[in-house]
């Protein structure tokens, strides 16, 4: 069946470079999460816990 | 074509798929790190000179976003210019001409970073600065790269505005607006760009001619380019002193910028006088290198004075 044929077959080098890029993307996404967290604290300051329920 | 046939075609094409070969460093190279360093520096000076204050974390976020936005412009520029980059010796080693990154990958990378930097700057700092950054990216990619670069010898005169906006975006990150002072910072880089790039174009004109880019030496000739360099240098020197004349820089800056401007004029005159042979080429290389030092010194002095005043 055509559906069972492999689509794109990556070479070992392509796999190795994809892994390196994936790690870089993960690091950047993690840094963005930290960045937005820190900026939230900076912008709201102590007010982040001082709000009406 | 049925779906099955189409699937087979893709599979056959896939066997020779040449994408996915870019390493992390190739993607970093797409951001034009050297250009980015100048953008970071001038944007930082704009941010530091702006009246009022910004939290250091927000200031760092603003500089980061401006840097990423500039890098995204570089990636989009390399995507669009891949055909001529293959021809010129200066650009032949870039990731797309060498086949390390495909055009589509560079395009996706550039668009993602453009949107990411603009939205982050807007959300975390202010939307005026975000919109200004978006306009800067648009100006560099669409107005300069896609339109002016291949159609007029005035390409870098008008297109130079894109490289001159970063200090205004840095300023806007603090104030949420533009002002005469930030416009003067823009004007310094704007007037500096033509003599800087024309000096380069004079000793790289073979490259530009081969690629069909209508740089001034290619279209109007080297003599006309030398006239242009001299005229723009005469205009640049007083613009460099303008921050002192307008009162937002001190006497140290005033004196130093006048001397630096004078040296710029001397080197531009040297380019104008020496028309032939190795001496002419050396004069162009000297002006090109000095122009980088000149711009760096003006902004370093402005930064230094603002830091001293803040102590």
């Amino acid at each position: 069946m055509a559906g069972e044929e492999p689509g794109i077959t990556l070479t070992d080098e392509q796999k190795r470079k994809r892994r390196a890029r994936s790690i870089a993307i993960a690091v950047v996404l993690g840094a963005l999460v930290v960045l937005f967290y820190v900026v939230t604290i900076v912008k709201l300051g102590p007010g982040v816990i001082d709000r009406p329920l | 074509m049925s779906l099955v046939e189409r699937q087979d075609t893709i599979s056959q094409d896939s066997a020779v798929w040449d994408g996915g070969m870019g390493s992390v460093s190739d993607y970093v190279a797409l951001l034009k790190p050297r250009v980015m360093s100048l953008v970071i520096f001038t944007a930082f000076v704009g941010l530091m000179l702006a009246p009022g204050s910004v939290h250091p974390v927000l200031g760092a976020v603003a500089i980061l976003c401006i840097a990423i936005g500039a890098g995204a412009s570089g990636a989009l520029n390399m995507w669009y210019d891949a055909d001529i980059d293959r021809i010129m010796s200066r650009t032949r080693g870039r990731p797309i001409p060498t086949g390390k990154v495909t055009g589509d990958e560079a395009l996706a990378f550039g668009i993602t970073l453009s949107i990411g930097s603009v939205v982050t700057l807007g959300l975390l700092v202010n939307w005026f600065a975000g919109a200004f950054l978006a306009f800067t990216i648009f100006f560099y990619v669409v107005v300069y790269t896609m339109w002016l670069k291949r159609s007029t010898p005035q390409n870098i005169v008008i297109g130079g505005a894109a490289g001159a906006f970063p200090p205004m975006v840095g300023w806007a990150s603090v104030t949420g607006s533009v002002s005469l002072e930030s416009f003067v910072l823009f004007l310094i880089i704007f007037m500096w760009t033509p003599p800087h790039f024309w000096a380069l174009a004079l000793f790289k004109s073979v490259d530009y001619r081969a690629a069909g880019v209508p740089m001034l030496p290619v279209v109007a000739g080297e003599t006309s380019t030398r006239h242009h360099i001299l005229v723009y240098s005469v205009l640049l020197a007083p613009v460099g002193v303008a921050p002192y004349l307008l009162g937002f820089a001190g006497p140290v800056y005033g004196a130093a910028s006048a001397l630096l401007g004078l040296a710029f004029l001397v080197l531009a005159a040297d380019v104008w006088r020496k028309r032939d042979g190795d001496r002419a080429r050396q004069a162009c290389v000297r002006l090109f290198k000095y122009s980088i030092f000149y711009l760096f010194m003006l902004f370093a002095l402005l930064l230094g004075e603002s830091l001293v005043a803040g102590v």
Side-chain angles (χ1 to χ4, degrees):
Chain A
M1 279 173 62
E4 291 173 356
E5 285 181 15
I8 295 168
T9 308
L10 298 178
T11 62
D12 286 344
E13 191 181 6
Q14 282 173 322
K15 284 179 185 168
R16 189 171 54 76
K17 287 186 169 168
R18 182 177 65 177
R19 181 174 163 73
R21 290 197 304 271
S22 299
I23 291 170
I25 291 169
V27 169
V28 169
L29 287 176
L32 270 178
V33 170
V34 172
L35 184 73
F36 272 77
Y37 176 75
V38 170
V39 171
T40 303
I41 301 298
V42 164
K43 285 200 154 196
L44 297 180
V48 73
I49 51 170
D50 181 21
R51 56 187 177 145
L53 292 172
Chain B
M1 183 186 277
S2 74
L3 190 60
V4 173
E5 284 169 329
R6 187 171 156 69
Q7 178 82 35
D8 286 342
T9 309
I10 292 169
S11 296
Q12 281 162 15
D13 288 347
S14 302
V16 291
W17 186 61
D18 57 356
M21 290 299 288
S23 63
V24 175
S25 63
D26 292 326
Y27 281 87
V28 172
L30 281 177
L31 302 176
K32 297 192 180 180
R34 282 172 63 186
V35 177
M36 201 196 249
S37 62
L38 189 65
V39 168
I40 290 171
F41 180 57
T42 57
F44 181 65
V45 174
L47 186 136
M48 292 298 288
L49 288 183
S53 62
V54 64
H55 191 285
V57 170
L58 295 182
V61 169
I63 298 300
L64 179 71
C65 290
I66 295 167
I68 299 295
S73 310
L76 292 171
N77 167 274
M78 286 198 207
W79 159 71
Y80 191 81
D81 275 348
D83 57 336
I84 54 176
D85 280 354
R86 278 189 191 93
I87 300 168
M88 297 196 287
S89 62
R90 191 171 61 88
T91 53
R92 183 174 294 158
R94 287 178 173 174
I96 302 177
T98 51
K100 291 171 182 164
V101 176
T102 66
D104 287 348
E105 288 167 341
L107 176 63
F109 185 59
I111 290 175
T112 304
L113 291 188
S114 297
I115 294 171
S117 59
V118 167
V119 171
T120 305
L121 186 60
L123 281 172
L124 302 188
V125 181
N126 70 62
W127 279 107
F128 181 81
F132 206 157
L133 181 63
F135 176 71
T136 304
I137 296 170
F138 168 81
F139 199 91
Y140 184 69
V141 176
V142 178
V143 177
Y144 170 67
T145 304
M146 295 184 179
W147 176 32
L148 297 171
K149 185 172 179 179
R150 301 182 193 216
S151 60
T152 166
Q154 297 300 311
N155 47 15
I156 49 136
V157 177
I158 309 163
F165 284 136
M168 291 187 84
V169 183
W171 183 287
S173 298
V174 180
T175 65
S177 64
V178 294
S179 68
L180 178 64
E181 290 93 332
S182 72
F183 179 71
V184 169
L185 298 180
F186 162 88
L187 206 57
I188 291 173
I189 305 177
F190 184 73
M191 296 307 294
W192 165 88
T193 306
H196 168 74
F197 274 107
W198 284 331
L200 172 76
L202 274 176
F203 64 87
K204 287 283 181 187
S205 61
V206 176
D207 257 8
Y208 286 116
R209 186 172 287 116
V213 179
M215 291 297 280
L216 201 59
V218 176
V219 176
E222 297 196 350
T223 303
S224 172
T225 307
R226 286 183 162 85
H227 293 328
H228 277 76
I229 287 177
L230 195 60
V231 169
Y232 272 89
S233 301
V234 169
L235 295 172
L236 171 65
V239 170
V241 189
Y244 168 68
L245 300 175
L246 291 170
F248 67 97
V252 174
Y253 175 87
S257 62
L259 287 173
L260 287 163
L262 201 63
F264 200 111
L265 274 175
V266 169
L267 290 175
D270 207 34
V271 168
W272 187 78
R273 276 191 301 115
K274 295 172 180 169
R275 306 281 173 99
D276 298 306
D278 225 32
R279 288 174 67 232
R281 185 188 152 81
Q282 281 169 4
C284 294
V285 173
R286 215 176 299 132
L287 177 62
F288 176 73
K289 287 183 177 170
Y290 176 76
S291 66
I292 297 169
F293 173 74
Y294 171 81
L295 190 67
F296 173 78
M297 281 306 294
L298 288 192
F299 277 79
L301 284 162
L302 285 170
L303 179 63
E305 280 196 347
S306 81
L307 290 174
V308 170
V311 172

